[in-house]
Amino acid sequence: QEHLVESGGGVVPAGQSLRLSCAVLEGSFYGNTIAWFRQASGKSREFVAAIRWRGGRTFYNDADLQGRFTISRDTSQNTVFLQMNNLKPEDSANYVCAQMNGEPSSNPRVYDYWGRGTLVTVSS
């Protein structure tokens, strides 16, 4: 049974933008954190950003991502977005959203539910 469904990936040239969506299908949202991770071929899963469903506080892995990516949520649509601007070839990866009840963490092991991901390819 799917809890999270991602969409919005694609192939774009460097410097362009994409907006990813994560539809949250199940579960109580109170106290939830929704996060985006990414995994490039041959590399480990990397934390990108997270948002608290209640209150909307956001967290990013580093300053570079925070300067180019924006995580947001639409509570009326039960959807979390990841706006990605000025994309670089090194951003190419499968982007996956995850959900857990608690404070945001970059540790993927603490997340309870995962989507299957949406593939982003940035050409140079």
Side-chain angles (χ1 to χ4, degrees), residues 1 20 34-35 40-41 54 60-61 70 76 83 89 96 99-100 108:
Q1 189 174 8
L20 307 182
I34 309 295
S41 179
R54 186 187 185 200
Y60 296 88
N61 188 2
T70 302
S76 67
Q83 177 68 40
V96 185
Q99 180 184 23
M100 61 93 156

Side-chain angles (χ1 to χ4, degrees), residues 8 12 28 30 36 48 50 84 109-110:
V12 295
S28 170
Y30 184 86
W36 284 98
V48 176
M84 306 187 296
R109 297 181 181 181
V110 303

Side-chain angles (χ1 to χ4, degrees), residues 67-83:
R68 299 186 296 120
F69 292 7
T70 302
I71 189 170
S72 63
R73 84 228 190 283
D74 185 329
T75 57
S76 67
Q77 298 182 41
N78 291 346
T79 302
V80 172
F81 303 100
L82 185 68
Q83 177 68 40

Side-chain angles (χ1 to χ4, degrees), residues 24-34 53-54 78 99:
V24 185
L25 306 181
E26 294 285 340
S28 170
F29 300 100
Y30 184 86
N32 266 214
T33 287
I34 309 295
W53 192 261
R54 186 187 185 200
N78 291 346
Q99 180 184 23

Side-chain angles (χ1 to χ4, degrees), residues 31-48:
N32 266 214
T33 287
I34 309 295
W36 284 98
F37 287 79
R38 65 185 181 183
Q39 187 165 18
S41 179
K43 296 187 177 181
S44 58
R45 189 167 287 179
E46 178 187 25
F47 172 73
V48 176

